[in-house]
Amino acid sequence: MSTREPNSQKVAIITGSSSGIGYATSLMLARNGFYTYASARNINKSASLQSIADAERLPLKLIQLDVTDDSSVKGAVEKIVSEKGRIDVLVNNAGYGLFGAFEDLSVDEIKAQFETNFFGVIRVTQHVLPIMRSKHDSGGIIVNVSSVNGHVPFPVISAYVATKFALEGLSESIAYELEPFGIKVILIEPGAIGSGFMKGSVMSNRALDPKSPYFEFVRKVSSKISSDHENATQPEEVAKTIVQAILSEKPEFRYVVGSDAVTLMQARKNMQYSDFQQMIQKIVQ
Ligand SMILES: NC(=O)c1ccc[n+]([C@@H]2O[C@H](COP(=O)([O-])OP(=O)(O)OC[C@H]3O[C@@H](n4cnc5c(N)ncnc54)[C@H](OP(=O)(O)O)[C@@H]3O)[C@@H](O)[C@H]2O)c1
């Protein structure tokens, strides 16, 4: 005989809710009935999110969480467990881009990039899994926001690309371990999205030096990436994909979002690698 849940409303937590994809996804999850913990490292930046939620009477609560800080992650998860006793959905979304030619990147800058985009996912997921697993009957969903750059390499953002390739490998591997517990892993692979991404990105210190042998190249490619982000796919499109996947009886393992991403993914899959390299070279020339 199964016992009734004291609280049957599903609970979601999303990282990096202060802007872009995280902001849009938090609202959409709450509008679809999930009790949504919209986490951000600085919740003051999410005041407008709370205002919308209050005006619409949405089940949304802001919570402080810095994915690079163990005690912040632990504290947030403990708070959710004490308030709701369950976590059904985790959306690992927080991230930023590190720009600069590889030779100009310091090891510390690369470590910081991994600390957020890769170890941040690991840290939050490892804290959430014991809670998700304890509700074995109802299962759970982990959505990892990767990128088209989880498959498609690009110059000037090599460290960012490396974090997303790593996230793809991690997600594919842990999906096998979590399946017996009814926990699904889903990868979201957006192309260029008109979010706060370019504003939140970091240019490597040495890349800013006009004496760098890569200075002109980095400037040119960065502004190409930047202009791709103007008039790009809106964060709401990604949010819609994430929420549809979560609500689906049988979600796919990966979702590509944006026509630019679809084109690049198909090229990566179908072209000879040398032809593909030439295509990328043409894009950045
Ligand atoms: N935009 C794109 O073109 C694109 C394409 C493919 C994939 N993605 C991925 O989509 C995800 C969301 O990015 P976005 O496009 O929505 O950009 P965004 O608007 O800049 O949002 C990034 C979010 O991550 C948060 N964040 C950064 N470091 C954090 C940390 N240590 N702890 C907690 N939160 C942190 C930011 O918080 P603050 O406001 O405090 O900085 C912000 O809320 C990222 O993983 C990114 O790699 C983006």
Side-chain angles (χ1 to χ4, degrees):
M1 197 171 79
S2 68
T3 48
R4 233 179 111 74
E5 292 280 352
N7 179 359
S8 59
Q9 184 176 31
K10 289 200 167 172
V11 173
I13 174 172
I14 170 154
T15 64
S17 288
S18 66
S19 79
I21 296 169
Y23 188 102
T25 305
S26 297
L27 275 180
M28 218 170 274
L29 280 170
R31 284 174 180 147
N32 278 276
F34 289 87
Y35 193 97
T36 302
Y37 283 91
S39 81
R41 56 182 164 175
N42 175 4
I43 55 172
N44 295 330
K45 280 177 92 173
S46 304
S48 68
L49 188 56
Q50 189 67 70
S51 305
I52 297 172
D54 291 346
E56 293 183 31
R57 295 171 184 264
L58 297 174
L60 181 147
K61 191 167 185 176
L62 303 183
I63 190 167
Q64 197 280 334
L65 190 158
D66 182 335
V67 301
T68 66
D69 179 345
D70 263 329
S71 63
S72 161
V73 174
K74 186 168 179 276
V77 172
E78 280 174 359
K79 189 165 192 289
I80 297 172
V81 172
S82 74
E83 289 179 358
K84 293 287 168 192
R86 60 190 289 169
I87 298 176
D88 301 277
V89 174
L90 163 64
V91 183
N92 285 306
N93 164 74
Y96 72 94
L98 171 63
F99 281 66
F102 169 72
E103 193 182 337
D104 282 339
L105 304 180
S106 71
V107 170
D108 282 346
E109 287 170 330
I110 298 173
K111 279 184 176 170
Q113 173 74 119
F114 269 84
E115 198 56 55
T116 297
N117 292 15
F118 184 63
F119 292 105
V121 174
I122 289 177
R123 190 172 285 112
V124 178
T125 306
Q126 287 192 335
H127 276 91
V128 166
L129 273 177
I131 318 304
M132 228 176 227
R133 238 181 347 87
S134 70
K135 301 283 166 198
H136 195 160
D137 289 351
S138 44
I141 300 181
I142 296 169
V143 178
N144 289 336
V145 181
S146 174
S147 166
V148 64
N149 293 122
H151 296 271
V152 173
F154 216 73
V156 171
I157 51 167
S158 59
Y160 176 76
V161 169
T163 64
K164 296 300 187 183
F165 267 59
L167 182 57
E168 294 275 333
L170 179 87
S171 304
E172 288 192 17
S173 303
I174 67 173
Y176 296 105
E177 297 173 6
L178 300 179
E179 193 269 337
F181 298 101
I183 298 173
K184 296 187 176 79
V185 180
I186 294 170
L187 275 164
I188 305 292
E189 300 167 336
I193 305 298
S195 62
F197 186 76
M198 288 310 294
K199 205 168 137 222
S201 289
V202 171
M203 181 64 82
S204 146
N205 265 334
R206 286 203 289 257
L208 292 166
D209 183 349
K211 290 201 286 293
S212 162
Y214 303 97
F215 186 77
E216 272 312 313
F217 180 68
V218 169
R219 201 188 49 76
K220 199 169 66 177
V221 178
S222 302
S223 69
K224 154 87 185 129
I225 295 175
S226 197
S227 75
D228 285 349
H229 281 75
E230 291 159 17
N231 307 315
T233 306
Q234 288 306 295
E236 286 70 23
E237 276 303 306
V238 187
K240 206 161 83 183
T241 304
I242 292 174
V243 175
Q244 278 172 357
I246 290 168
L247 292 173
S248 165
E249 283 277 313
K250 279 196 170 178
E252 303 291 331
F253 180 70
R254 42 173 52 93
Y255 293 83
V256 181
V257 189
S259 53
D260 57 335
V262 171
T263 305
L264 281 168
M265 291 287 203
Q266 279 171 354
R268 178 72 181 83
K269 196 169 150 207
N270 300 329
M271 288 169 88
Q272 291 285 342
Y273 195 67
S274 55
D275 294 339
F276 176 78
Q277 276 182 315
Q278 269 182 19
M279 187 194 82
I280 297 288
Q281 260 154 0
K282 272 200 192 125
I283 291 175
V284 298
Q285 261 164 19

